[in-house]
Amino acid sequence: MAVGRRGSLVRALLAGIEAGRSAAPVTSCPYPRGNLCRSAWVRGYAMARSTGQP
């Protein structure tokens, strides 16, 4: 995996965590279906919501 791609995935994961903490709806994911960044974003979102972060 290229460094640029890895950076994109990390940014998406962190954005998902932030969205989960702010209780944004999961449908607010900015990435299209089939994009790896979408998977990373949803993973971050789920992590934040499952830990009960406000």
Side-chain angles (χ1 to χ4, degrees), residues 26-49:
V26 72
T27 55
S28 67
C29 178
Y31 301 101
R33 187 180 306 184
N35 187 319
L36 281 176
C37 287
R38 181 183 181 102
S39 297
W41 189 94
V42 171
R43 188 176 315 119
Y45 184 93
M47 285 172 28
R49 300 300 290 166

Side-chain angles (χ1 to χ4, degrees), residues 2-23:
V3 173
R5 183 68 162 164
R6 183 177 298 149
S8 295
L9 293 174
V10 169
R11 283 189 295 277
L13 178 74
L14 295 174
I17 290 170
E18 185 60 35
R21 286 180 178 166
S22 68

